[in-house]
Amino acid sequence: MEPFDDETVPLYTVGQVAEMLSLKQAFLRRVDQLEVVTPQRSAGGQRRYSRIEIRIIQQVATMADAGMTMTAIRRIIELEQQLAEVVRQRDELAIRLAEVSAERVRLAAQVNNLLSEVTGNRSGE
């Protein structure tokens, strides 16, 4: 996969993100300082943002414009991330449950076949 295809790769600088979203760089630094979004750092220590982080920052800016505090915004972001993780786990468990159910049906059919063979052999004796 190319780095440009992976939305988790930190490619964008503070200046690029500020320009993309029409925000001040100080706002981005504040979002990082309050750990609402924590971008990775380049070898030189510069913040680098992924496309996922840029979407979150967009959401943060919208909520801040609506008058929400950064503390409230951070909590909302945390809860959304927790919810996404729970949904992911639920989906994995649903897949596993379907696999186990299919295996149970297969084994039940196998047991029925074996019982039929055993009872068939006994009636033929």
Side-chain angles (χ1 to χ4, degrees):
M1 179 184 299
E2 293 294 319
F4 296 110
D5 295 334
D6 186 351
E7 57 184 20
T8 64
V9 175
L11 298 173
Y12 303 94
T13 65
V14 171
Q16 290 170 321
V17 174
E19 188 175 325
M20 272 187 251
L21 301 179
S22 300
L23 298 171
K24 296 190 182 310
Q25 291 184 22
F27 178 81
L28 296 174
R29 286 190 288 277
R30 181 81 173 135
V31 168
D32 181 17
Q33 189 178 47
L34 293 171
E35 298 178 356
V36 178
V37 172
T38 307
Q40 292 185 32
R41 300 282 181 152
S42 68
Q46 290 185 326
R47 292 172 178 88
R48 297 281 185 212
Y49 296 88
S50 68
R51 289 197 316 259
I52 290 174
E53 290 165 334
I54 293 169
R55 280 197 300 275
I56 294 170
I57 291 167
Q58 225 172 356
Q59 183 181 8
V60 168
T62 300
M63 288 189 274
D65 287 345
M68 296 182 76
T69 67
M70 281 295 176
T71 304
I73 293 169
R74 181 177 57 215
R75 186 66 181 136
I76 289 168
I77 299 295
E78 288 170 357
L79 290 171
E80 286 176 342
Q81 290 170 345
Q82 288 173 5
L83 177 60
E85 177 61 18
V86 168
V87 167
R88 185 193 63 74
Q89 290 174 356
R90 181 210 55 201
D91 293 347
E92 284 179 6
L93 288 171
I95 290 167
R96 181 70 182 124
L97 179 60
E99 291 169 351
V100 168
S101 294
E103 180 68 4
R104 186 187 63 75
V105 168
R106 187 188 68 75
L107 290 172
Q110 193 175 20
V111 166
N112 285 337
N113 288 339
L114 290 172
L115 288 173
S116 295
E117 287 177 24
V118 169
T119 57
N121 287 342
R122 285 194 179 155
S123 56
E125 290 178 1

